[in-house]
Amino acid sequence: MLKIAKERLNDLYAKIAESMGLFIPIKRAGEVNYAVWAEGKEVSLETLKTVKSPKNAFFPQTENMMKFKTEGKNLEVIDIRKDWSEEKSFVMFGVKACDYKAIEVLDKVFLAEPVDTYYQLRRKAGIIVTLACSRPEESCFCKAFGIDATSPLGDVTTWMDETYLYWQANTEKGEALTALVQDLFTEGGEEEVAAQKETTAAIIDKLPYSNLDLSRFKPENLNELFNASEWEEMSEACLGCGTCTFVCPTCQCFDIRDFKTNEGVLRYRCWDSCMYSDFTLMAHGNSRTTQMQRFRQRFMHKLVYYPSQNDGLYSCVGCGRCVNKCPQNLNIVKVIKTLGGKNND
Amino acid sequence: MKDVELKMIERAKELLASGEVARVIGWKKGEFYFDPVPASFETVEELDSLVYNYFCGANLSKYLIEMSKKEGKTAVFLKPCDTYSFNQLVKEHRIKRENVYVIAVECLAKLDINKIKAQGVTGVTDVEVVDKQVKVTSLYGEVVLNKPDVVLEKCSVCQKTHQVKDEEIILHERPERDVNRFAQVAELEAMTEDECFAFWRNQLSKCIRCNACRNVCPACSCVKCVFDNPASGIAAKANDDKFEEQLFHIIRAFHVAGRCTDCGECSRVCPQNIPLHLLNRKFIKDIDSFYGEYQAGETAEGKTPLTEYTEGDTEPNDVFKGEAK
Ligand code: SF4
Ligand code: SF4
Ligand code: SF4
Ligand code: SF4
């Protein structure tokens, strides 16, 4: 294990940024989001829940896909990926355990056949440096999903205390990054890290949502859960705004649209939200006509549909963003508590 | 505030039990003290989970668009600011007034959990208000904060009073306050064009286009927003920076100009904490100076400065030059 004094972190960022893009939680106009590091930016590694999750780096909110140009009767299709397939690697620095797990959830969707090559290119180019949590918040419930916030995976895992950042490479990509920055580090830190893990684990055990019981959310109960009468009441206050889906690290739905530009047609995709009224609009009409149905879809997808297609893996990672950000204080915890049986009382 | 809550529950129970109303709209208990949820109550038993505390900032007026279409009367608890939105929606024929029974409830300023967390308190598990102090319990200890530092922005400049009431529940007197809600607007006006542009760019580039500001806004009550309508040709879900910065929010502010009651919901709900209220307040300030002081939602009748023409009206050219008559 390697370590670096916290006051030298800026040198580490600068070193990485010399040869590749460095995305890191940065405070801008009061809020912390992942952004490209540059000298003078206000880095906030301690922020657990960036407003937008790191998924934005691999599955950006808007992404151009291709261009079409017409000349006479000819239609030219321009593959935009050529512009960035040669792109240099980039580093996502400070990814928390929940958000890292969320990337695994996305991988199962985008890297399954037929592979989403846009996502795949970014995943290949990205080096993920995770950061263990030491001050979890009341809205964190990663533990309920079996995630260990004290030892996230990733290409490199880091831990941070008052004085040092500790660094451990886990993969080939991680080793390569380590080689690049090794000079800035010294050996050591095993004991400190072990102690921190223990302290954090004890805090996590006591978090208000850590022991949610998810056992009722399984494929066998699909119909029963789908038809539960409680959905009406649970969704009553929902504004259909989509905030919960846009801040969620695992929400994966997108829309594809064409946009007329002066130089032809641009096809782009952008995040979509099952909370929106035109989400399921088809030629025949819309199969989900009420907000209750849309609300139900979001939570059934996280807790029942996705796991039933992915060997029981839930597509919520307990990051708590929807808990913090829903304007009307609706969220997945309330759904789990309402439908999850009496162990959640 | 517990005494107010008990009184509210008692009254709501009476109204439901007597059949005067078919449902009551209020807030129900969350998991913590600080996350109550807007809710409707149809039985006396359900009302035991009604809650009214310092985190009931949500404006319930907009829910009445749908609720007032239902069979039977709907009783609703409205804070002073909420009654302006209510009036405006009645004026725009969006709420059926005759189907609503308004119970005006005192406010005493609501708190903002984000502002509490922004004071450096992480892992908040409980909040208690004692006079001007807010005692915050967290996973990592206790702190006492000054209430004025952590109230919702809309409450920090509020001088509103109930404009509608079929009855009221007011047990405490609200302290007199001297506040100027246009102070921040004046700061923006004092900036150079470049500074002002940079300010908004910095703020609006955070926008994730989640639409929370629009969906919560009582003035945004179109049955189908053009931006949601695939047939409009301008439907947009993408958060392209330039569009966000220069168009969406500006268009929305124009659209609600003269109708925005300054209820503050847009800024309360924004996940990126963008001070959207400043855009609307700039319009309100301009309307005041161009057409005379006007507060949207003060009444449910009459014309509004932007929907009425009088001969003495400010000429477009004066508006352009920023000179009021
Ligand atoms: S659950 Fe909350 S955040 Fe999600 S769409 Fe509904 S109101 Fe918006
Ligand atoms: S559903 Fe909510 S808690 Fe779960 S991963 Fe998404 S944002 Fe996080
Ligand atoms: S949910 Fe878990 S991994 Fe995510 S920020 Fe909280 S403690 Fe860390
Ligand atoms: S609520 Fe905030 S982030 Fe969402 S669309 Fe409005 S300004 Fe953008």
Side-chain angles (χ1 to χ4, degrees), chain A residues 116-135:
Chain A
D116 184 305
T117 49
Y118 294 82
Y119 180 86
Q120 190 184 39
L121 277 171
R122 291 199 155 90
R123 276 292 272 131
K124 278 193 181 146
I127 305 170
I128 301 176
V129 178
T130 58
L131 172 64
C133 298
S134 59
R135 253 178 106 87

Side-chain angles (χ1 to χ4, degrees), chain B residues 15-31:
Chain B
L15 287 165
L16 271 185
S18 70
E20 269 178 81
V21 302
R23 69 196 67 78
V24 178
I25 318 257
W27 300 264
K28 74 172 176 223
K29 274 196 192 77
E31 292 296 319

